Amino acid sequence: QSPGMTNMIKIWLAATFILNLLNVTAKDVFPDYYKVNYSNSRFPTLQGFYKQEDYTHQGKPVYKKPRLNQYLYCNKDDKWTVGVKWTSKEDTEDSLTMEDAGNEEPSNSAWFGQKSDRSFEKINVSITEFSQEYPEYYEVKVIGSHHFEGFYEKLPESENYEAF
């Protein structure tokens, strides 16, 4: 082979490698769910499970609490935040923000809670990856009664009011 052909093959291989890297999405790297937990009672509604959405913000995935307008995302200061979306409401609603900036993923560290009255307090937040693995159907058998027996289909999140 000629040196020119070898260089062309190297360029093609490098381009293919880069294109394959670009096809890796946040869904491939980050968990499907995060569970946010803490013991502070001033911010009770921000606790719970957050599911990864199909888009990113600040180059990182966005997680949404099912059926609520609450998100886990990386804010404009490159700090993970739990609260409403990055809108004009962001500064007027209750929120939690990691103290440290630049973390690839949210972590168990010091976070600051901000109330709508703009008061702040330090909160220890527990962020854990969560994988929800449920079967599509459950079989129910009731001893002594056949009234509720049968197969039950798992509802989609938009219809499952008891989850989360």
Side-chain angles (χ1 to χ4, degrees), residues 79-101:
K79 295 181 179 184
W80 284 94
T81 300
V82 176
V84 297
K85 256 183 172 175
W86 47 95
T87 64
S88 59
K89 284 184 163 186
E90 184 177 0
D91 294 329
T92 60
E93 299 284 334
D94 291 353
S95 65
L96 301 171
T97 302
M98 275 185 73
E99 183 175 21
D100 299 328

PDB file of all heavy atoms in Angstrom, residues 79-101:
ATOM      1  N   LYS A  79     -23.659  23.761  38.540  1.00  0.00           N
ATOM      2  CA  LYS A  79     -23.963  23.105  39.812  1.00  0.00           C
ATOM      3  C   LYS A  79     -25.267  22.337  39.664  1.00  0.00           C
ATOM      4  O   LYS A  79     -26.237  22.857  39.108  1.00  0.00           O
ATOM      5  CB  LYS A  79     -24.120  24.133  40.936  1.00  0.00           C
ATOM      6  CG  LYS A  79     -22.848  24.886  41.255  1.00  0.00           C
ATOM      7  CD  LYS A  79     -23.079  25.874  42.383  1.00  0.00           C
ATOM      8  CE  LYS A  79     -21.797  26.610  42.729  1.00  0.00           C
ATOM      9  NZ  LYS A  79     -21.983  27.507  43.873  1.00  0.00           N
ATOM     10  N   TRP A  80     -25.290  21.098  40.151  1.00  0.00           N
ATOM     11  CA  TRP A  80     -26.517  20.317  40.107  1.00  0.00           C
ATOM     12  C   TRP A  80     -27.559  20.976  41.004  1.00  0.00           C
ATOM     13  O   TRP A  80     -27.253  21.431  42.099  1.00  0.00           O
ATOM     14  CB  TRP A  80     -26.252  18.885  40.543  1.00  0.00           C
ATOM     15  CG  TRP A  80     -25.578  18.109  39.452  1.00  0.00           C
ATOM     16  CD1 TRP A  80     -24.242  17.923  39.295  1.00  0.00           C
ATOM     17  CD2 TRP A  80     -26.215  17.452  38.358  1.00  0.00           C
ATOM     18  NE1 TRP A  80     -24.002  17.184  38.158  1.00  0.00           N
ATOM     19  CE2 TRP A  80     -25.197  16.881  37.566  1.00  0.00           C
ATOM     20  CE3 TRP A  80     -27.539  17.288  37.962  1.00  0.00           C
ATOM     21  CZ2 TRP A  80     -25.472  16.148  36.418  1.00  0.00           C
ATOM     22  CZ3 TRP A  80     -27.808  16.561  36.813  1.00  0.00           C
ATOM     23  CH2 TRP A  80     -26.779  16.001  36.057  1.00  0.00           C
ATOM     24  N   THR A  81     -28.793  21.031  40.524  1.00  0.00           N
ATOM     25  CA  THR A  81     -29.887  21.726  41.203  1.00  0.00           C
ATOM     26  C   THR A  81     -31.141  20.864  41.158  1.00  0.00           C
ATOM     27  O   THR A  81     -31.400  20.177  40.179  1.00  0.00           O
ATOM     28  CB  THR A  81     -30.173  23.072  40.507  1.00  0.00           C
ATOM     29  OG1 THR A  81     -28.994  23.863  40.558  1.00  0.00           O
ATOM     30  CG2 THR A  81     -31.308  23.828  41.162  1.00  0.00           C
ATOM     31  N   VAL A  82     -31.919  20.913  42.234  1.00  0.00           N
ATOM     32  CA  VAL A  82     -33.239  20.288  42.277  1.00  0.00           C
ATOM     33  C   VAL A  82     -34.239  21.412  42.482  1.00  0.00           C
ATOM     34  O   VAL A  82     -34.127  22.188  43.422  1.00  0.00           O
ATOM     35  CB  VAL A  82     -33.354  19.276  43.441  1.00  0.00           C
ATOM     36  CG1 VAL A  82     -34.760  18.718  43.524  1.00  0.00           C
ATOM     37  CG2 VAL A  82     -32.336  18.162  43.289  1.00  0.00           C
ATOM     38  N   GLY A  83     -35.203  21.525  41.577  1.00  0.00           N
ATOM     39  CA  GLY A  83     -36.211  22.571  41.691  1.00  0.00           C
ATOM     40  C   GLY A  83     -36.971  22.711  40.395  1.00  0.00           C
ATOM     41  O   GLY A  83     -37.044  21.782  39.604  1.00  0.00           O
ATOM     42  N   VAL A  84     -37.513  23.902  40.164  1.00  0.00           N
ATOM     43  CA  VAL A  84     -38.225  24.146  38.914  1.00  0.00           C
ATOM     44  C   VAL A  84     -37.204  24.319  37.797  1.00  0.00           C
ATOM     45  O   VAL A  84     -36.014  24.482  38.044  1.00  0.00           O
ATOM     46  CB  VAL A  84     -39.156  25.376  39.011  1.00  0.00           C
ATOM     47  CG1 VAL A  84     -40.236  25.156  40.039  1.00  0.00           C
ATOM     48  CG2 VAL A  84     -38.383  26.629  39.297  1.00  0.00           C
ATOM     49  N   LYS A  85     -37.672  24.316  36.570  1.00  0.00           N
ATOM     50  CA  LYS A  85     -36.785  24.451  35.410  1.00  0.00           C
ATOM     51  C   LYS A  85     -36.033  25.768  35.421  1.00  0.00           C
ATOM     52  O   LYS A  85     -36.370  26.681  36.156  1.00  0.00           O
ATOM     53  CB  LYS A  85     -37.604  24.363  34.132  1.00  0.00           C
ATOM     54  CG  LYS A  85     -37.478  23.063  33.421  1.00  0.00           C
ATOM     55  CD  LYS A  85     -38.273  23.132  32.131  1.00  0.00           C
ATOM     56  CE  LYS A  85     -38.010  21.918  31.305  1.00  0.00           C
ATOM     57  NZ  LYS A  85     -38.828  21.883  30.116  1.00  0.00           N
ATOM     58  N   TRP A  86     -35.051  25.871  34.569  1.00  0.00           N
ATOM     59  CA  TRP A  86     -34.193  27.047  34.445  1.00  0.00           C
ATOM     60  C   TRP A  86     -34.944  28.174  33.740  1.00  0.00           C
ATOM     61  O   TRP A  86     -34.680  28.524  32.617  1.00  0.00           O
ATOM     62  CB  TRP A  86     -32.922  26.675  33.691  1.00  0.00           C
ATOM     63  CG  TRP A  86     -33.227  25.875  32.466  1.00  0.00           C
ATOM     64  CD1 TRP A  86     -33.380  26.350  31.197  1.00  0.00           C
ATOM     65  CD2 TRP A  86     -33.476  24.487  32.378  1.00  0.00           C
ATOM     66  NE1 TRP A  86     -33.710  25.336  30.336  1.00  0.00           N
ATOM     67  CE2 TRP A  86     -33.765  24.182  31.033  1.00  0.00           C
ATOM     68  CE3 TRP A  86     -33.479  23.449  33.303  1.00  0.00           C
ATOM     69  CZ2 TRP A  86     -34.049  22.898  30.595  1.00  0.00           C
ATOM     70  CZ3 TRP A  86     -33.769  22.172  32.853  1.00  0.00           C
ATOM     71  CH2 TRP A  86     -34.045  21.907  31.527  1.00  0.00           C
ATOM     72  N   THR A  87     -35.899  28.739  34.430  1.00  0.00           N
ATOM     73  CA  THR A  87     -36.717  29.821  33.882  1.00  0.00           C
ATOM     74  C   THR A  87     -36.630  31.009  34.824  1.00  0.00           C
ATOM     75  O   THR A  87     -35.886  30.991  35.795  1.00  0.00           O
ATOM     76  CB  THR A  87     -38.191  29.386  33.771  1.00  0.00           C
ATOM     77  OG1 THR A  87     -38.679  29.141  35.085  1.00  0.00           O
ATOM     78  CG2 THR A  87     -38.344  28.149  32.919  1.00  0.00           C
ATOM     79  N   SER A  88     -37.430  32.009  34.579  1.00  0.00           N
ATOM     80  CA  SER A  88     -37.444  33.160  35.485  1.00  0.00           C
ATOM     81  C   SER A  88     -37.947  32.762  36.869  1.00  0.00           C
ATOM     82  O   SER A  88     -37.660  33.437  37.847  1.00  0.00           O
ATOM     83  CB  SER A  88     -38.326  34.264  34.905  1.00  0.00           C
ATOM     84  OG  SER A  88     -39.643  33.774  34.721  1.00  0.00           O
ATOM     85  N   LYS A  89     -38.688  31.651  36.971  1.00  0.00           N
ATOM     86  CA  LYS A  89     -39.170  31.180  38.270  1.00  0.00           C
ATOM     87  C   LYS A  89     -38.055  30.567  39.117  1.00  0.00           C
ATOM     88  O   LYS A  89     -38.213  30.364  40.293  1.00  0.00           O
ATOM     89  CB  LYS A  89     -40.254  30.114  38.079  1.00  0.00           C
ATOM     90  CG  LYS A  89     -41.588  30.630  37.667  1.00  0.00           C
ATOM     91  CD  LYS A  89     -42.537  29.454  37.628  1.00  0.00           C
ATOM     92  CE  LYS A  89     -43.966  29.902  37.636  1.00  0.00           C
ATOM     93  NZ  LYS A  89     -44.878  28.766  37.750  1.00  0.00           N
ATOM     94  N   GLU A  90     -36.934  30.241  38.476  1.00  0.00           N
ATOM     95  CA  GLU A  90     -35.860  29.524  39.161  1.00  0.00           C
ATOM     96  C   GLU A  90     -35.448  30.207  40.460  1.00  0.00           C
ATOM     97  O   GLU A  90     -35.153  29.550  41.447  1.00  0.00           O
ATOM     98  CB  GLU A  90     -34.660  29.390  38.229  1.00  0.00           C
ATOM     99  CG  GLU A  90     -33.524  28.578  38.788  1.00  0.00           C
ATOM    100  CD  GLU A  90     -32.397  28.419  37.787  1.00  0.00           C
ATOM    101  OE1 GLU A  90     -32.492  28.935  36.669  1.00  0.00           O
ATOM    102  OE2 GLU A  90     -31.409  27.783  38.167  1.00  0.00           O
ATOM    103  N   ASP A  91     -35.431  31.510  40.496  1.00  0.00           N
ATOM    104  CA  ASP A  91     -34.979  32.234  41.683  1.00  0.00           C
ATOM    105  C   ASP A  91     -36.093  32.502  42.690  1.00  0.00           C
ATOM    106  O   ASP A  91     -35.836  33.035  43.751  1.00  0.00           O
ATOM    107  CB  ASP A  91     -34.348  33.569  41.272  1.00  0.00           C
ATOM    108  CG  ASP A  91     -33.080  33.359  40.473  1.00  0.00           C
ATOM    109  OD1 ASP A  91     -32.395  32.357  40.715  1.00  0.00           O
ATOM    110  OD2 ASP A  91     -32.788  34.200  39.619  1.00  0.00           O
ATOM    111  N   THR A  92     -37.338  32.157  42.352  1.00  0.00           N
ATOM    112  CA  THR A  92     -38.444  32.478  43.248  1.00  0.00           C
ATOM    113  C   THR A  92     -39.118  31.234  43.818  1.00  0.00           C
ATOM    114  O   THR A  92     -40.074  31.347  44.558  1.00  0.00           O
ATOM    115  CB  THR A  92     -39.504  33.321  42.518  1.00  0.00           C
ATOM    116  OG1 THR A  92     -39.996  32.566  41.410  1.00  0.00           O
ATOM    117  CG2 THR A  92     -38.918  34.637  42.051  1.00  0.00           C
ATOM    118  N   GLU A  93     -38.630  30.062  43.481  1.00  0.00           N
ATOM    119  CA  GLU A  93     -39.199  28.813  43.975  1.00  0.00           C
ATOM    120  C   GLU A  93     -38.194  28.133  44.896  1.00  0.00           C
ATOM    121  O   GLU A  93     -37.003  28.396  44.835  1.00  0.00           O
ATOM    122  CB  GLU A  93     -39.523  27.875  42.803  1.00  0.00           C
ATOM    123  CG  GLU A  93     -40.529  28.424  41.822  1.00  0.00           C
ATOM    124  CD  GLU A  93     -41.956  28.366  42.341  1.00  0.00           C
ATOM    125  OE1 GLU A  93     -42.253  27.514  43.190  1.00  0.00           O
ATOM    126  OE2 GLU A  93     -42.765  29.195  41.894  1.00  0.00           O
ATOM    127  N   ASP A  94     -38.695  27.220  45.748  1.00  0.00           N
ATOM    128  CA  ASP A  94     -37.804  26.427  46.587  1.00  0.00           C
ATOM    129  C   ASP A  94     -36.873  25.600  45.697  1.00  0.00           C
ATOM    130  O   ASP A  94     -37.300  25.057  44.678  1.00  0.00           O
ATOM    131  CB  ASP A  94     -38.607  25.471  47.464  1.00  0.00           C
ATOM    132  CG  ASP A  94     -39.407  26.196  48.529  1.00  0.00           C
ATOM    133  OD1 ASP A  94     -39.240  27.418  48.671  1.00  0.00           O
ATOM    134  OD2 ASP A  94     -40.197  25.536  49.216  1.00  0.00           O
ATOM    135  N   SER A  95     -35.607  25.501  46.089  1.00  0.00           N
ATOM    136  CA  SER A  95     -34.662  24.704  45.315  1.00  0.00           C
ATOM    137  C   SER A  95     -33.522  24.239  46.207  1.00  0.00           C
ATOM    138  O   SER A  95     -33.291  24.771  47.293  1.00  0.00           O
ATOM    139  CB  SER A  95     -34.105  25.503  44.136  1.00  0.00           C
ATOM    140  OG  SER A  95     -33.338  26.591  44.607  1.00  0.00           O
ATOM    141  N   LEU A  96     -32.815  23.230  45.743  1.00  0.00           N
ATOM    142  CA  LEU A  96     -31.599  22.731  46.367  1.00  0.00           C
ATOM    143  C   LEU A  96     -30.495  22.807  45.328  1.00  0.00           C
ATOM    144  O   LEU A  96     -30.707  22.437  44.179  1.00  0.00           O
ATOM    145  CB  LEU A  96     -31.768  21.272  46.812  1.00  0.00           C
ATOM    146  CG  LEU A  96     -32.880  20.966  47.798  1.00  0.00           C
ATOM    147  CD1 LEU A  96     -33.040  19.454  47.958  1.00  0.00           C
ATOM    148  CD2 LEU A  96     -32.563  21.592  49.139  1.00  0.00           C
ATOM    149  N   THR A  97     -29.308  23.270  45.716  1.00  0.00           N
ATOM    150  CA  THR A  97     -28.192  23.389  44.783  1.00  0.00           C
ATOM    151  C   THR A  97     -26.931  22.860  45.443  1.00  0.00           C
ATOM    152  O   THR A  97     -26.639  23.191  46.589  1.00  0.00           O
ATOM    153  CB  THR A  97     -27.985  24.855  44.361  1.00  0.00           C
ATOM    154  OG1 THR A  97     -29.194  25.324  43.762  1.00  0.00           O
ATOM    155  CG2 THR A  97     -26.859  24.987  43.366  1.00  0.00           C
ATOM    156  N   MET A  98     -26.166  22.046  44.690  1.00  0.00           N
ATOM    157  CA  MET A  98     -24.897  21.532  45.210  1.00  0.00           C
ATOM    158  C   MET A  98     -23.944  22.687  45.473  1.00  0.00           C
ATOM    159  O   MET A  98     -23.898  23.651  44.712  1.00  0.00           O
ATOM    160  CB  MET A  98     -24.246  20.580  44.207  1.00  0.00           C
ATOM    161  CG  MET A  98     -24.737  19.163  44.295  1.00  0.00           C
ATOM    162  SD  MET A  98     -23.835  18.054  43.190  1.00  0.00           S
ATOM    163  CE  MET A  98     -22.272  17.911  44.031  1.00  0.00           C
ATOM    164  N   GLU A  99     -23.198  22.569  46.544  1.00  0.00           N
ATOM    165  CA  GLU A  99     -22.219  23.604  46.891  1.00  0.00           C
ATOM    166  C   GLU A  99     -21.090  23.644  45.851  1.00  0.00           C
ATOM    167  O   GLU A  99     -20.641  24.705  45.458  1.00  0.00           O
ATOM    168  CB  GLU A  99     -21.658  23.314  48.281  1.00  0.00           C
ATOM    169  CG  GLU A  99     -20.697  24.350  48.786  1.00  0.00           C
ATOM    170  CD  GLU A  99     -20.262  24.076  50.216  1.00  0.00           C
ATOM    171  OE1 GLU A  99     -20.367  22.941  50.693  1.00  0.00           O
ATOM    172  OE2 GLU A  99     -19.803  25.031  50.849  1.00  0.00           O
ATOM    173  N   ASP A 100     -20.642  22.480  45.395  1.00  0.00           N
ATOM    174  CA  ASP A 100     -19.524  22.392  44.466  1.00  0.00           C
ATOM    175  C   ASP A 100     -20.003  22.458  43.025  1.00  0.00           C
ATOM    176  O   ASP A 100     -21.027  21.885  42.671  1.00  0.00           O
ATOM    177  CB  ASP A 100     -18.760  21.082  44.658  1.00  0.00           C
ATOM    178  CG  ASP A 100     -18.167  20.958  46.048  1.00  0.00           C
ATOM    179  OD1 ASP A 100     -17.811  22.007  46.628  1.00  0.00           O
ATOM    180  OD2 ASP A 100     -18.069  19.828  46.556  1.00  0.00           O
ATOM    181  N   ALA A 101     -19.236  23.122  42.193  1.00  0.00           N
ATOM    182  CA  ALA A 101     -19.529  23.202  40.756  1.00  0.00           C
ATOM    183  C   ALA A 101     -18.649  22.218  40.001  1.00  0.00           C
ATOM    184  O   ALA A 101     -17.614  21.783  40.500  1.00  0.00           O
ATOM    185  CB  ALA A 101     -19.271  24.623  40.250  1.00  0.00           C
TER     186      ALA A 101
END
